[in-house]
Amino acid sequence: MNVRKNVSEMSPTEKTAFVNAVLALKDDTDSPRPPAADAAGALNRYDVYVWVHSLVMDGAHKGPAFTPWHREFLRQFELELQSVSGDPTMTIPYWDSVEARIPSDAGYPFTTNLMGGMGTGTDNRVMTGQFAESAGWTLNVRTGASTGITRDNTSYLRRRTGQNPAQLPERAELNAALVHSDYDALNEEGSYAEGNANRANGSEIALSFRKILEYANHNGPHEWIGGNMMPSTSPNDPVFYLHHSNIDKVWAVWQQRTNGGVSNYLPTSGTADHSLNSVMSMLESSFFLFPVRNRPADVLNHKVDLGYMYDVDLPVLATTVTDLNFGTVEEGSTIQLPIPFTIESGRNMKFQINAFGGDAAFHAPTGAPAFEIVNHTDGVPQTHEVLIELETNTGTGSKIGLVEVNVYVWDDDRFYSNVVGDYLVDTFIVNLEAMVVEEVRSAIALVLDKSYSMRLNDGTSITRYEMLENAIMGVRDLLAPDDGVGMVYYDSDADPIFEITQKSEGGEAAINAALADPANQPGGNTAIGQGIIEGAQMLIDEINDSSTPYTNFGMLVMTDGNQNVHPYITEAPVSSAITGIGQDIYAIGLGQQGTTSEAALNDISRSVLLTGDMTGDERMFKLTNYFNQILADIKKEDVVLDPMGRLLFGTEHQVAYAISEADIRSNIVVLSPLAPFIKVSLIAPNGDEIIGTTGNVAHEINANNQIYRVTFPALPDKPETSHGGHWKVVLQLRSREEVKKICAKWQEREDIFKNRDEYNSVPYSVAIYTRSDLNFKCSVEKDSDTIGAEVRLFANLSQYRRPISGRVRAEVQWPNGKLKVLSLEEIETGEFYVHFKAEQSGIYQLIIKAEGRSMAGRPFFREAIRSVSIYKRNPERASDGGADNGAAICKTLQCLISQESIRNFLKKNEINPEELKKCLLETCGDDKDQQQLFSKSIKKKTMVEANENRTASSKDESSEKRDDCLERVEKAPELKKIEYPEPKIPEMSNMPMEMPAFKLNEKGEFEKVDFTFDESC
């Protein structure tokens, strides 16, 4: 909405633009003009407006239509200014003649760069500015009167000289109009229109708003300026428009003071040209270039009907929210939700949360000011949000409340309250509701591969299945006691091991039993689809159980090979089974691209993580970290940090991380093959060292990890210094002597240290997860699966469900091992994006990191792991089995070529086995599984045989020794055009404007102002 502003608020540039637009209208000889106007002397579009006004007289003066007629007249003129200037936001400024009365007053319009000066000499000729005759301003439409106050026979612009400012209307006349409750009133003759204005008297003028506005506030400046502002052709002086813009402003203010003004217009009928729905004189569509609103009823609401407002108008405010529902919220969480207000305003305003009612859980955000000042003066629609905070530490259950929001403007003009101060524009009441529940529980279905290739060890001392066991134990340990877990194993078919079971009520024991059961050792084919069906059914049964305690659900599918048993992942049985839970499926592929059905899994999963080749310490931690990251995603937690390192005996490592005021709980997970023998402690922001279970901290030591579970504040007696701030995890590997003292069977575990590196160090990984109201979410998309694909990364940051700014970067490891760091662009607050072209085939490993400061100014860090697989050609989804037959053929051929007898046969027939092997690799790919299973030298035992030599008894013995040792480790735990008949054009005459000006005298009565008049002028 365009804003008409006070001359005092115009910049020099705006003044120049306005003057140029007026001059352009005066120069506009090409636009159509009524023939009668041309006959009267009009040469341009500006002159048409002078002609129209010169003929309307009693139709727009001395009666109720005075204000609506001039409102539409000005609006038409304003639209033409916008057209010739090319600026759709240009408006007519207003001259506040009450406040700007002398040249030194701000807003005085008679300056060289705006309206030019007052008259000079005996002829009162305007000599300065762009509207002086010397500058080219010529009066073409004139009445021809040669004497008297309505003299109109010169081609140059005239204004009075040396006028007394006291003769201008003052604040008393303005207030007298504004405080009147009646728009108009009948005169002594029983008419709303005065007819002969000279008969108007002070007591009659005081009867209504319109009469005071016209005779006191309007007529006064006309007479004070005099000259060409006195005859009916007064628009010849451009200041006419600034003056009438001010008169329209006063009407607009009065309308807003009196409940909208629409119902207050009088008369509703019975007075020609002036009644509410009568057609006003001379506002004919053929005279103007834009659709005309020519009834008073059509222009009563200048904001809605005409699309402009004044810089003193009350703002247009609205909100669609009457009820604000926070939904189901976990106890301990803090959430901020907005009440959105749409605003159109030409002035600043204040928002205040005045009061809350009902539950004390609802309040203003901590640290929020008593008033929110919204700087908005351009009228452009915008949204302002008032935030309401829900703090859930007042107990569980239904929370009901309400909030009262007040909106004020600073009424320094005293238009609305007659005193300087805050003026209440509106009050909004919004109902508040929330359901606070205990800690949100999560349920995860593990769908795990135990096909034959899980026996491989990838050239290390630990098999894939053992890596899986370690990962499952990590999930087991990281699950909260009230979380649920279920398990499905698949090989040639799928076997549900146990349904969703709460960890503390049998879930942990069920995991242990499944890991220990010899029947679950690897063997057979790869029925991924069957496993997904069983896992989906397990989740759906739990979701459909009305008594389920869980809120978050997810399925984690892990495989190390391509599917080769129907139904396949993209076939109908699987698609049907996962209906409704597709966004809750995650997958991990243990291996390289093309070897884990990852293309098909990607079609049904939220994300697929591929391990790729793993070397060194990655083998120990990567799979476990992948499982834990997915578990955190299912549990709606965030990853703060996930570094790896190595500890030397007797050394100390410190891992620094940041906790914000929005973090509710945190899990610090230390992974290591010697986890029980690492001293782990936490350093709070105040420097306090936390060792073991204490306060709101729980500590547990497990075979391959230690976990600190922290609920903030960590130390109840020090809430301010044991929550937000810089924290540290301190790790120290105990000395050999200490370890030997703790575990008498030290020799059993000493092999863990051998051949690690020359420093005899121990690897570790520290993963920090947080249940937080400051959340980092990211996703990866690609437009194809092949080389040249565009990979798109999206991320967002929010706190209390509100977007916040930050910095996000992605560390992308390309298939060739090269690392590239990409900065994501913040396209809008809290929304980040970057893309790159994948120019190589293989796996792209991505670590996406975010950092910034919370709403309270505390630092935060977040990260997430993703992977993208790019192929030389489109991968098979194996929906028809073709890909599996090809894989089987490849495996068979590679198996044959690994046999010594076959190789001798080929050599005997002059076929080079190595060349054949090379061709097979180019055709079938460099599947590490196939190479390991079928390309090892016959001089060595295959890895399958080597792993089969691991007997159940030795495994049981090792477990027994470990358990015995651990027992001895100290646990610390979003116009209609009206056709009118051809107008009857009256003849132009020398009739005067008859505008006697009135002011209040010392008795508070209206009396005529005696303007000195020089006949020689």
Side-chain angles (χ1 to χ4, degrees), residues 474-487:
V475 171
R476 175 201 65 194
D477 298 337
L478 193 54
L479 282 169
D482 291 338
D483 287 335
V485 61
M487 186 180 289

Side-chain angles (χ1 to χ4, degrees), residues 174-393:
L174 178 60
N175 287 342
L178 290 175
V179 300
H180 221 297
S181 59
D182 296 322
Y183 173 75
D184 216 334
L186 293 169
N187 58 24
E188 296 173 354
E189 298 173 346
S191 170
Y192 284 99
E194 286 77 61
N196 186 339
N198 286 322
R199 293 182 54 190
N201 57 64
S203 59
E204 189 174 277
I205 290 169
L207 294 175
S208 71
F209 163 77
R210 194 272 306 169
K211 288 179 170 64
I212 299 173
L213 178 68
E214 183 173 1
Y215 288 96
N217 295 281
H218 163 261
N219 289 2
H222 268 279
E223 292 216 24
W224 186 81
I225 297 170
N228 291 111
M229 278 287 275
M230 290 303 295
S232 60
T233 57
S234 55
N236 265 320
D237 190 335
V239 80
F240 169 96
Y241 295 99
L242 277 63
H243 171 49
H244 273 273
S245 182
N246 186 57
I247 297 303
D248 184 63
K249 177 205 73 178
V250 176
W251 184 32
V253 170
W254 179 84
Q255 288 179 302
Q256 292 167 95
R257 285 174 57 113
T258 55
N259 196 30
V262 174
S263 62
N264 294 332
Y265 184 86
L266 291 172
T268 58
S269 62
T271 303
D273 297 335
H274 293 271
S275 296
L276 180 65
N277 291 294
S278 63
V279 175
M280 294 182 289
S281 176
M282 290 299 291
L283 292 181
E284 300 291 342
S285 60
S286 61
F287 299 165
F288 302 97
L289 301 185
F290 296 91
V292 177
R293 298 176 180 270
N294 54 14
R295 301 180 307 152
D298 297 333
V299 299
L300 294 181
N301 193 325
H302 63 296
K303 300 176 189 175
V304 175
D305 298 334
L306 304 178
Y308 71 88
M309 66 194 317
Y310 288 95
D311 58 6
V312 296
D313 276 344
L314 299 179
V316 177
L317 295 163
T319 181
T320 58
V321 175
T322 56
D323 298 279
L324 193 63
N325 194 328
F326 287 77
T328 300
V329 183
E330 183 179 355
E331 187 176 17
S333 295
T334 298
I335 293 175
Q336 294 178 357
L337 290 185
I339 303 174
F341 291 87
T342 57
I343 302 171
E344 291 180 272
S345 179
R347 65 193 304 168
N348 297 333
M349 67 210 77
K350 299 178 181 180
F351 283 77
Q352 179 193 32
I353 297 178
N354 186 50
F356 283 91
D359 200 287
F362 303 104
H363 55 81
T366 304
F371 287 92
E372 285 188 86
I373 299 177
V374 179
N375 298 312
H376 187 55
T377 60
D378 59 9
V380 176
Q382 72 171 29
T383 299
H384 176 70
E385 296 178 341
V386 174
L387 295 177
I388 307 301
E389 187 168 285
L390 168 68
E391 196 166 18
T392 61
N393 56 7

Side-chain angles (χ1 to χ4, degrees), residues 465-542:
Y465 186 72
E466 289 177 307
M467 279 193 283
L468 175 60
E469 285 183 311
N470 289 337
I472 299 307
M473 287 188 286
V475 171
R476 175 201 65 194
D477 298 337
L478 193 54
L479 282 169
D482 291 338
D483 287 335
V485 61
M487 186 180 289
V488 176
Y489 272 128
Y490 66 88
D491 43 33
S492 298
D493 54 16
D495 182 17
I497 305 302
F498 60 92
E499 301 295 321
I500 299 294
T501 306
Q502 187 172 307
K503 175 184 172 179
S504 62
E505 296 183 1
E508 183 172 12
I511 291 176
N512 294 337
L515 294 177
D517 189 348
N520 292 329
Q521 292 300 303
N525 295 317
T526 310
I528 306 176
Q530 291 187 25
I532 292 173
I533 292 173
E534 294 292 346
Q537 190 60 54
M538 184 180 291
L539 280 182
I540 291 171
D541 288 343
E542 186 63 40

Side-chain angles (χ1 to χ4, degrees), residues 167 185 997:
Q167 293 176 314

